């Protein structure tokens, strides 16, 4: 744990409430006395409780698990709850909301809407006519242990949206599906319970808004907090698409 | 006036709420889910460890079945649970997990052949059978006789919630995000929906429904240090209480988890100990076997937490600037296991503590974790005081956990209760016309509108953030793991003062739209009421049972206290809840009270216990040759919706 005590940290935070008429975006400065083990989560709450009760941001699990707290911290998209202030030796921390999402206010953005749309677009569920008629009293269908692990690897995505905010293609093309969608689709492509054919997957991502639009700049992989294998999977999907068609 | 009509309104988008929504939708009813946040971010996602279901596929689970699961659950509850509910639960859990497998959860699977595991500090080789290969695997958890906790590496809750939400998306169930239910609408003792605040615009909306389900999770944030999410504030539970009609059950039953990291309280899963991790003191000494020679680190949670505090009180804690703690040692599990099966733990250690759990010990301390209490319902999930109001998951006191819940039994409860209660909600929708006087809607809306405008107009008053902190400190210091008359009395008095102060909150940021201070101001008075239910219930309960541990009344007292606490808040102007009790009927129990098997048994027995034991003996004598399932049906017949009846198959055992 960090032993540097009582540093005074400077937070520069983008403040803007689109619901207040006439409000304009501005950077505001706050000072916080650092405590050992302090995270951006702890610091922001201190600012809200003691200095400015109007400041907006989103945290849920505060443990790096739920994906709520993505923001741009000194230029990099990160999960704020698991970012220690000690990682910033200069003691100046600039916070901006994640780009590419509708701004709710200050550091709070609407990731929920984008992720639901993504799920609807890639039809993020098992496609199997028979799944509803499974006899629940009987043994479950077997699965090879490695396949289960492989699916889980891809399902570790927490829909934080950091990959989208770091994606140059997405910035140019709003309809570009982005890494989170590719990961989701790859997850179903390796799942034997999903009976979709290569052709059906192609329908969803076989164009320039899909895998072929990716310029392989890999901002996504650099910033994914769950270390998902974007590069490998995008290549896998491309191969699969090429074969499927 | 904005009014939205639906058949089934579900407040809460975690595992429990989504499962109820799916059930009603599949039966053809219009359904809306409300959530503070996107559903997939609900706290269910944080469950790492696993879900209990007696599949018995892994070699260490062989011999497991509903009966063993039932016994563990009832003993775990310290006989405080509703045995009908626990029975329906254990019988349905295998079906629930198999359904989730069909819906996409990538449960970890059994690999045939040899596998090295750590049991009781030793490396042991176990051999999985050929016939179990590819079936759902299970791991060891505290308080269970078999390895019953099914899991997906250490992302069980995450994968369950994703599968559940994806299923809801497939069924086109709308989830209205960033909405907060702030009051229930009711008329003539029947619930008709909720008044909801849109958290971005601040608009108040009336959601009017035939059936309303509260699935808002736990209320860990009544305490200053908790493993729960920051949104686990119990508002759903509180709005039920505020109707004056719906009672809350067993609010004093609050679970502390043995291993949350110090100081921030983030959980390291019970899977750490289940997989072989040990608890060590400041001398590096493994102390649990001294206290609990039989189950050691894997005794029930309440027991381990108390033993840890006892050991620290003997001066064996590791001193730190945040007070004493103990060590969790998982180094013996090896790098491969930790990086794969305990990866969330690994990440938490690296990011929040800056340590590598492969090489270093983890500083841990018992921390608030789970709310056994909640909206008291019958076995159908319906409130016992307000018709048309249902509740499931951690928000509810369906009452399968009594005074202590077993690890892995909670996510299991969310999906099993969701399945069963979801059917009853659909039945209710079928039988109930949507009829309401618009004046009723109006008056409930107006009531909330006035409350908010009072808050926005008050010039001077209390700071809601400060009140919350004070409440959390009172709960932490005086209503914690060990409780006594003096501390509890103080807590009750101090909370009364806070209750009064909470009627006089004033804001610095006086806007009605998106405003975190206003959100806090709406929530804090409700949270204080819940805290009062916990503290007052704890003061009155003069015995120790499960997680409720009184230093001045160390015995479990079945003679006087085999009953469930019911807390009502009938009059807004009073400063204490009214407490009533509902006796548990031993003569209907499948498993009459006995010793839990920890320490010396000092239970004060109830006279019916012996009577019921004899009665059961007689029933068995009168019906020679019946199998275990017929036995259960005779001793403890339970009602389960037709589609979820039927015996469960197990590998190597069939349907027996
Ligand atoms: C760190 C941690 C680890 C755990 N691990 C395990 C485990 O391994 N095994 C196990 O069995 N159990 C575990 N548990 C317990 C288990 O995860 C929870 O009890 C369970 O997931 C609760 O699910 P739920 O659906 O009842 O509520 P939640 O998942 O908490 O969902 C609550 C929902 O209600 C919504 N909501 C709340 N208030 C309102 C309101 N006023 N208006 C509208 N919406 C509202 C929220 O937005 C959310 O969608 C763990 C708990 C924690 C904290
Ligand atoms: S792929 Fe990674 S960065 Fe993108 S949303 Fe998922 S977890 Fe976040
Ligand atoms: S708050 Fe959940 S990931 Fe940061």
């Amino acid at each position: 744990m960090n032993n540097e005590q009582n540093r005074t940290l400077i937070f520069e935070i983008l403040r803007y409430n689109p619901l207040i008429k006439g409000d304009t975006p501005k950077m505001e400065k706050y000072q916080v006395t650092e405590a050992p083990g302090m995270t951006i989560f702890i610091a922001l709450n201190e600012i809200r409780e003691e200095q400015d009760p109007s400041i907006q941001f989103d945290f849920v699990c505060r443990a790096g698990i739920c994906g709520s707290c993505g923001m741009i911290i000194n230029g990099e998209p990160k999960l704020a709850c698991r970012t220690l202030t000690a990682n910033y030796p200069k003691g100046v921390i600039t916070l901006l909301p994640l780009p590419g999402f509708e701004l709710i206010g200050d550091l709070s953005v609407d990731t929920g809407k984008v992720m639901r749309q993504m799920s609807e677009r890639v039809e993020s569920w098992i496609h199997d006519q028979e799944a509803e008629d499974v006899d629940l009293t009987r043994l479950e269908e077997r699965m090879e242990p490695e396949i289960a692990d492989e699916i889980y690897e891809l399902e570790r995505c927490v829909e934080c949206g950091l990959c989208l905010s770091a994606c140059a293609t997405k910035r140019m093309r709003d309809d570009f599906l982005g890494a989170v969608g590719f990961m989701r689709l790859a997850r179903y492509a390796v799942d034997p319970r999903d009976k979709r054919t290569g052709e059906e997957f192609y329908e969803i991502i076989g164009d320039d808004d899909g895998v072929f639009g990716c310029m392989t700049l890999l901002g996504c992989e650099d910033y994914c907090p769950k270390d998902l294998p974007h590069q490998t999977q995008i290549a896998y999907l491309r191969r699969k698409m090429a074969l499927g068609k | 006036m904005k009014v939205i009509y639906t058949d089934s309104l579900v407040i809460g988008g975690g595992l429990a709420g989504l499962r109820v929504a799916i059930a009603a939708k599949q039966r053809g009813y219009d359904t809306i889910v409300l959530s503070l946040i996107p559903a997939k971010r609900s706290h269910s996602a944080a469950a790492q460890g696993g879900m209990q279901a007696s599949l018995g596929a892994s070699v260490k689970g062989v011999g497991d079945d509903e009966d063993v699961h039932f016994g563990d659950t009832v003993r775990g509850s310290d006989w405080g649970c509703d045995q009908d509910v626990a029975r329906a639960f254990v019988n349905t859990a295998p079906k629930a997990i198999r359904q989730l497998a069909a819906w996409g959860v990538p449960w970890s699977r059994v690999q045939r052949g040899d596998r090295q595991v750590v049991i009781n500090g030793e490396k042991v080789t176990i051999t999985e059978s050929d016939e179990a290969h590819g079936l759902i695997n299970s791991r060891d958890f505290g308080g269970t006789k078999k390895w019953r906790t099914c899991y997906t590496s250490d992302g069980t809750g995450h994968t369950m919630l994703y599968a559940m939400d994806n299923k809801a998306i497939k069924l086109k169930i709308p989830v209205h995000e960033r909405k907060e239910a702030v009051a229930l609408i009711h008329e003539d003792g029947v619930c008709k929906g909720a008044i909801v605040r849109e958290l971005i615009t601040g608009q108040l909306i009336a959601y009017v429904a035939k059936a309303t389900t509260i699935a808002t999770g736990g209320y860990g944030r009544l305490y200053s240090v908790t493993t729960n999410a920051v949104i686990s504030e119990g508002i759903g539970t509180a709005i039920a209480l505020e109707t004056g009609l719906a009672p809350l059950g067993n609010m004093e039953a609050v679970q502390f988890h043995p291993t949350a990291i110090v100081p921030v309280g983030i959980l390291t899963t019970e899977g750490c100990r289940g997989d072989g991790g040990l608890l060590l003191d400041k001398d590096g000494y493994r102390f649990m076997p001294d206290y609990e020679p039989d189950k050691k680190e894997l005794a029930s949670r309440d027991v381990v937490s108390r033993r840890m505090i006892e050991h620290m009180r003997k001066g064996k804690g590791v001193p730190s600037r945040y007070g004493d703690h103990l060590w969790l040692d998982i180094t013996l599990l090896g790098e491969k296991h930790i990086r794969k099966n305990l990866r969330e733990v690994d990440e938490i250690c690296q990011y929040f503590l800056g340590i590598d759990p492969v090489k270093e010990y983890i500083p841990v301390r018992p921390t608030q974790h789970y709310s056994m209490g909640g909206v008291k319902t019958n076995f159908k999930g319906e409130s016992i005081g307000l018709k048309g109001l249902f509740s499931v998951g951690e928000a509810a006191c369906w009452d399968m956990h009594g005074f202590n819940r077993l690890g892995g039994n909670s996510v299991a409860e969310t999906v099993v209760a969701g399945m069963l209660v979801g059917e009853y909600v659909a039945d209710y929708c079928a039988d109930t016309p949507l009829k309401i006087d618009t004046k009723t809607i109006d008056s409930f809306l107006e009531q909330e509108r006035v409350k908010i405008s009072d808050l926005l107009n008050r010039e001077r008053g209390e700071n809601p953030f400060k009140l919350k902190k004070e409440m959390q400190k009172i709960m932490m210091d005086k209503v914690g793991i060990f409780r006594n008359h003096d501390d509890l009395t103080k807590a009750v008095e101090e909370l009364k003062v806070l209750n009064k102060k909470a009627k006089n909150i004033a804001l610095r940021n006086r806007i009605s739209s998106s405003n975190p201070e206003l959100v806090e101001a709406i929530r804090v008075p409700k949270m204080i009421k819940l805290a009062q239910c916990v503290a007052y219930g704890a003061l009155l309960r003069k015995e120790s049972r499960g997680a409720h541990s009184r230093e001045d009344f160390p015995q479990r007292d079945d003679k006087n206290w085999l009953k469930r606490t019911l807390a009502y808040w009938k009059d807004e102007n009073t400063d204490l809840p009214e407490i009533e009790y509902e006796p548990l009927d031993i003569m209907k129990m499948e498993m009459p009270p006995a010793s839990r098997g920890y320490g010396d048994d000092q239970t004060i027995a109830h006279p019916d216990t012996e009577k019921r034991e004899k009665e059961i003996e007689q029933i068995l004598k009168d019906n020679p040759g019946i199998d275990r399932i017929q036995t259960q049906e005779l001793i403890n017949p339970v009602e389960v919706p037709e589609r979820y009846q039927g015996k469960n198959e197990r590998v190597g055992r069939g349907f027996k």
Side-chain angles (χ1 to χ4, degrees):
Chain A
M1 243 170 269
N2 162 33
N3 288 319
E4 241 173 296
Q5 277 172 56
N6 298 337
R7 242 179 1 150
T8 299
L9 301 170
I10 312 247
F11 280 87
E12 295 187 14
I13 301 177
L14 182 111
R15 300 300 312 273
Y16 175 48
N17 186 341
L19 284 176
I20 297 181
K21 271 211 189 87
D23 196 21
T24 48
K26 55 194 168 297
M27 296 302 290
E28 236 164 75
K29 261 191 202 162
Y30 302 88
Q31 290 190 0
V32 174
T33 309
E34 188 171 44
M38 184 179 246
T39 58
I40 307 272
F41 160 74
I42 296 171
L44 279 174
N45 274 290
E46 214 177 288
I47 292 173
R48 181 191 272 173
E49 282 161 27
E50 286 163 20
Q51 303 182 39
D52 187 341
S54 69
I55 185 167
Q56 298 182 54
F57 46 76
D58 295 317
F59 291 95
V60 178
C61 72
R62 61 79 174 90
I65 291 169
C66 74
S68 299
C69 63
M71 51 184 83
I72 305 289
I73 304 173
N74 283 6
E76 293 181 319
K78 280 180 181 265
L79 294 180
C81 71
R82 66 174 204 188
T83 302
L84 294 169
T85 54
N87 296 347
Y88 300 92
K90 291 205 184 111
V92 181
I93 298 173
T94 307
L95 303 178
L96 302 174
L98 271 194
F101 298 91
E102 208 170 291
L103 183 73
I104 291 171
D106 304 332
L107 300 171
S108 169
V109 297
D110 194 344
T111 50
K113 203 193 279 172
V114 173
M115 292 304 166
R116 171 106 181 188
Q117 281 163 0
M118 178 278 291
S119 292
E120 286 166 354
R121 181 163 161 196
V122 306
E123 302 193 359
S124 167
W125 52 81
I126 298 284
H127 288 59
D128 178 4
Q129 295 298 340
E130 279 142 46
E132 255 336 292
D133 309 323
V134 171
D135 180 351
L136 300 178
T137 63
R138 297 194 158 274
L139 292 187
E140 64 278 9
E141 200 178 313
R142 288 168 201 267
M143 182 183 276
E144 282 305 312
E146 315 81 80
I147 301 236
D149 291 348
E150 207 181 319
I151 298 169
Y152 176 60
E153 281 308 303
L154 295 168
E155 190 150 296
R156 291 181 79 243
C157 165
V158 292
E159 298 195 348
C160 63
L162 297 191
C163 54
L164 298 184
S165 75
C167 174
T169 314
K170 178 81 183 162
R171 218 160 295 162
M172 291 186 302
R173 204 180 349 212
D174 201 33
D175 286 334
F176 181 59
L177 181 60
V180 58
F182 299 145
M183 290 307 106
R184 188 58 50 81
L185 213 66
R187 177 242 173 275
Y188 285 98
V190 297
D191 193 329
R193 292 169 296 191
D194 193 319
K195 306 292 186 255
R196 274 180 281 188
T197 60
E199 204 152 323
E200 285 168 294
F201 283 121
Y202 190 90
E203 287 289 304
I204 300 172
I205 52 162
D207 61 14
D208 282 354
D209 286 334
V211 272
F212 296 110
C214 171
M215 302 189 294
T216 339
L217 299 172
L218 296 173
C220 50
E221 186 155 318
D222 292 345
Y223 293 111
C224 176
K226 296 290 153 184
D227 301 320
L228 263 67
H230 295 118
Q231 188 166 18
T232 334
Q233 288 303 326
I234 291 171
Y236 163 78
L237 284 172
R238 278 187 171 151
R239 267 199 318 279
K240 201 169 161 93
M241 292 307 104
L243 290 175
K245 198 65 190 181
Chain B
M1 179 167 92
K2 183 164 174 188
V3 185
I4 292 173
Y5 292 90
T6 184
D7 294 326
S8 161
L9 176 67
V10 180
I11 307 173
L15 278 170
L18 289 171
R19 186 63 188 84
V20 170
I22 288 168
K25 181 79 180 194
Q26 284 184 322
R27 293 261 304 268
Y29 298 98
D30 188 57
T31 299
I32 295 175
V33 176
L34 301 176
S35 176
L36 300 172
I37 46 157
K40 285 193 176 84
R41 311 216 188 285
S42 300
H43 206 47
S44 293
Q48 303 162 2
M51 158 171 175
Q52 283 205 43
S54 59
L55 301 181
S58 158
V59 62
K60 300 294 279 181
V62 169
D64 201 8
D65 57 31
E66 297 85 354
D67 300 348
V68 188
H69 191 183
F70 178 78
D72 286 342
T73 302
V74 173
R75 257 188 309 276
S77 81
D78 221 352
W79 273 271
C81 74
D82 180 328
Q83 295 196 10
D84 293 353
V85 168
R87 183 38 96 171
F89 161 77
V90 296
N91 287 7
T92 314
K95 298 183 179 76
I97 197 167
R98 284 171 174 161
Q99 183 169 63
L100 285 169
W103 289 0
V105 175
W107 298 109
S108 294
R109 302 293 174 135
V110 177
Q111 169 76 54
R112 65 165 72 83
D114 288 353
R115 168 161 77 103
Q116 239 194 13
V117 296
V118 176
I119 300 176
N120 192 18
E122 308 279 332
K123 287 209 166 89
V124 182
T125 301
I126 60 176
T127 309
E128 298 288 2
S129 72
D130 268 347
E131 54 174 355
H133 182 80
L135 295 173
I136 296 173
N137 206 349
S138 53
R139 56 163 52 133
D140 201 6
F141 249 44
T144 65
K145 288 216 156 100
K146 298 280 173 187
W147 289 23
R148 185 185 303 123
T149 305
C150 305
Y151 62 97
T152 319
S153 292
D154 66 354
T156 312
H158 172 88
T159 58
M160 289 172 75
L161 185 61
Y162 271 50
M164 195 68 88
D165 188 47
N166 288 333
K167 181 77 181 174
I169 295 175
K170 178 182 180 203
L171 294 171
K172 302 196 165 60
I173 295 172
V175 179
H176 293 191
E177 297 171 10
R178 298 192 187 251
K179 303 277 184 297
E180 174 159 4
V182 293
L184 292 174
I185 306 170
H186 54 97
E187 191 176 67
D188 306 325
V190 184
C191 185
K192 304 278 185 179
I195 304 295
V196 173
R197 186 167 173 272
E198 146 64 47
L199 292 170
I200 300 175
T201 62
Q203 188 184 26
L204 287 176
I205 308 168
Y207 281 76
V208 175
K210 292 177 176 174
T212 304
T213 303
I214 292 178
T216 48
Y219 40 85
R221 290 280 154 178
L222 298 182
Y223 288 80
S224 46
V225 188
T226 168
T227 62
N228 287 193
V230 296
I231 60 163
S232 301
E233 302 197 304
I235 303 309
T237 316
I239 62 177
L241 179 71
E242 287 184 330
T243 61
L245 299 168
L248 306 184
N250 286 346
M251 291 295 283
E252 65 271 33
V254 177
Q255 179 172 81
F256 285 73
H257 194 293
T259 61
I261 63 170
V262 177
V264 286
I266 296 172
L267 185 78
T268 57
T269 171
E270 186 151 319
C272 291
R273 280 169 294 132
D275 292 357
L278 305 175
L279 290 169
L280 307 178
D281 66 13
K282 68 170 185 191
D283 306 319
Y285 175 72
R286 182 183 177 200
F287 57 92
M288 274 310 293
D290 294 353
Y291 295 95
E292 296 298 339
D294 190 23
K295 286 297 256 174
K296 309 180 181 78
E297 280 83 0
L298 286 172
S300 244
R301 280 184 185 169
D302 56 329
V303 177
V304 179
S305 288
R306 280 196 293 274
R307 297 308 198 185
M308 289 169 74
I309 300 286
E310 273 179 74
H311 201 61
M312 287 195 280
R313 283 181 177 175
K314 290 181 188 159
K316 293 294 183 184
V318 185
S320 86
R321 62 189 309 149
Y322 302 106
D324 288 0
H325 64 77
L326 292 159
W327 297 118
L328 172 63
D329 172 15
I330 59 170
T331 57
L332 68 169
L333 307 186
E335 173 152 12
K336 195 166 147 235
H337 185 88
I338 292 172
R339 305 269 195 247
K340 171 160 176 273
N341 287 38
L342 296 170
R343 184 156 44 173
E344 293 293 342
V345 175
D346 190 19
E347 278 185 13
I348 286 165
C349 288
Q350 314 245 9
Y351 281 99
F352 294 92
L353 297 169
I355 63 165
D356 180 357
V358 171
K359 300 191 200 105
E360 289 161 281
Y361 298 161
I362 308 168
V364 295
R365 187 159 60 203
T367 297
Q368 194 289 340
H369 181 60
Y370 186 81
S371 318
M372 272 79 73
V375 180
K376 177 66 188 94
T377 72
N378 59 19
F379 76 97
K380 292 185 167 180
E382 189 172 12
S383 162
I384 59 170
L386 184 57
K387 253 180 78 78
L389 178 69
F390 293 80
S391 186
V392 274
E394 195 171 339
C397 179
W398 191 36
D399 215 2
M400 54 163 278
H401 304 302
F403 276 74
N404 172 60
R405 93 154 156 103
L406 298 182
N409 253 357
S410 175
V411 291
E413 176 188 16
T414 63
V415 293
V416 172
M419 268 169 119
L420 303 179
V421 173
E423 294 302 316
Y424 296 122
V425 166
D427 291 347
Y428 185 85
C429 288
D431 299 341
T432 315
L434 186 55
K435 221 173 50 202
I436 182 170
D437 190 339
T438 47
K439 282 202 209 92
T440 307
I441 307 178
D442 241 356
S443 83
F444 275 96
L445 261 175
E446 183 58 16
Q447 216 172 328
E448 296 311 306
R449 201 193 55 75
V450 168
K451 271 192 219 161
I452 290 173
S453 69
D454 282 354
L455 281 171
L456 293 173
N457 290 325
R458 193 170 290 127
E459 296 283 342
R460 254 185 309 276
E462 303 289 338
N463 174 334
F465 295 108
K466 283 217 176 97
L467 290 183
K468 181 159 122 186
K469 279 230 159 91
E470 282 174 42
M471 169 200 69
Q472 289 171 329
K473 186 160 165 37
I474 296 169
M475 295 301 285
M476 204 70 203
D477 294 348
K478 304 190 175 93
V479 198
I481 298 184
F482 284 108
R483 302 166 172 183
N484 61 63
H485 176 85
D486 291 353
D487 283 345
L488 290 169
T489 308
K490 274 188 219 142
V492 168
E493 289 311 313
E494 289 167 13
L495 287 168
K496 265 191 206 165
V497 176
L498 288 189
N499 178 307
K500 268 203 205 89
K501 286 187 179 173
K503 297 197 162 94
N504 187 38
I505 290 175
L507 306 180
R508 289 161 288 171
N509 180 36
R510 285 152 61 178
I511 59 168
S512 68
S513 65
S514 183
N515 176 355
E517 194 185 23
L518 177 57
V519 169
E520 200 80 349
I522 294 171
R523 289 182 189 168
V524 166
K526 295 178 161 49
M527 294 177 75
I528 292 174
K529 282 185 190 148
L530 293 185
Q532 290 184 278
C533 293
V534 178
Y536 193 41
L539 172 65
L540 297 182
R541 184 172 282 274
K542 296 191 170 66
E543 66 156 351
S544 292
R545 184 180 296 276
H548 172 69
S549 181
R550 287 280 301 252
E551 289 166 313
D552 40 356
F553 298 97
Q555 291 154 313
R556 188 179 93 205
D557 180 354
D558 289 343
K559 196 158 151 228
N560 299 298
W561 285 101
L562 195 59
K563 50 192 180 186
R564 186 174 295 123
T565 310
L566 298 178
Y568 288 89
W569 207 293
K570 292 181 182 161
D571 177 359
E572 180 58 35
N573 297 313
T574 53
D575 59 4
L576 257 190
E578 283 173 42
I579 303 287
E580 295 175 10
Y581 294 96
E582 180 184 50
L584 302 188
D585 186 358
I586 295 178
M587 296 312 289
K588 293 218 174 79
M589 287 185 187
E590 181 175 344
M591 222 169 97
S595 162
R596 260 178 103 190
Y598 297 114
D600 304 332
D601 181 26
Q602 306 177 333
T603 307
I604 303 171
H606 190 288
D608 281 353
T609 301
E610 222 185 292
K611 248 192 349 214
R612 177 63 176 161
E613 279 165 356
K614 292 233 168 71
E615 192 177 72
I616 293 176
E617 236 169 80
Q618 193 57 46
I619 295 175
L620 295 179
K621 227 185 265 159
D622 294 347
N623 295 280
I626 56 170
D627 68 13
R628 65 178 188 94
I629 291 160
Q630 291 163 319
T631 307
Q632 176 241 309
E633 278 163 2
L634 269 179
I635 300 174
N636 188 18
V638 291
E639 192 185 315
V640 168
E642 204 188 322
R643 61 194 299 185
Y644 298 126
Q645 291 170 5
K647 300 174 186 176
N648 299 305
E649 189 184 9
R650 288 181 183 80
V651 71
R653 182 163 163 187
F655 288 93
K656 289 209 190 84

